[in-house]
Amino acid sequence: VNFFTEGALPPQGPCRGGCDACDRRSAGEVSARDIGDEARLMLSAVAGLHNKYGMSRAVQLLRGSRSKELAPWMLEATHLVTGAKLHGSGSSRSDGWWKGLGGLLAAEGLLQYHS
């Protein structure tokens, strides 16, 4: 319960070794990164592909692929919030990074894999 009470724990965390979040905090590192924008991109890509295509196709769209697997209508998919084109909007991240994010979103119940 003390974990959720502000000021109840020392700045370095309650544990000494074994907890990477506390170890990072005591070393001055940021233990969490806001990936909300990237999550919205991924969810927009999946929605823009009408929830009919796998993670690889969504990643191709975000990374700006010119593969023939991406039909012309797919290249026109837009962000659900901003309306910006999705094709290439995630080119600064690797395929593996995007697939990892997709896995995290699936684990949280925000995406669902179909067999």
Side-chain angles (χ1 to χ4, degrees), residues 18-94:
C19 175
D20 63 343
C22 294
D23 289 345
R24 284 189 206 133
R25 186 176 27 204
S26 65
E29 295 178 39
V30 176
S31 62
R33 181 185 176 310
D34 182 1
I35 55 169
D37 291 338
E38 292 91 341
R40 282 185 282 281
L41 280 174
M42 175 60 77
L43 295 172
S44 291
V46 170
L49 298 175
H50 307 293
N51 300 316
K52 295 181 180 181
Y53 298 90
M55 183 65 58
S56 293
R57 197 72 47 92
V59 171
Q60 286 178 323
L61 177 65
L62 291 172
R63 298 253 311 126
S65 173
R66 291 289 177 190
S67 169
K68 293 183 191 246
E69 292 178 339
L70 289 176
W73 68 267
M74 294 176 178
L75 302 178
E76 299 302 315
T78 59
H79 193 285
L80 294 171
V81 177
T82 66
K85 294 236 181 193
L86 291 171
H87 188 255
S89 62
S91 61
S92 64
R93 301 278 186 195
S94 69

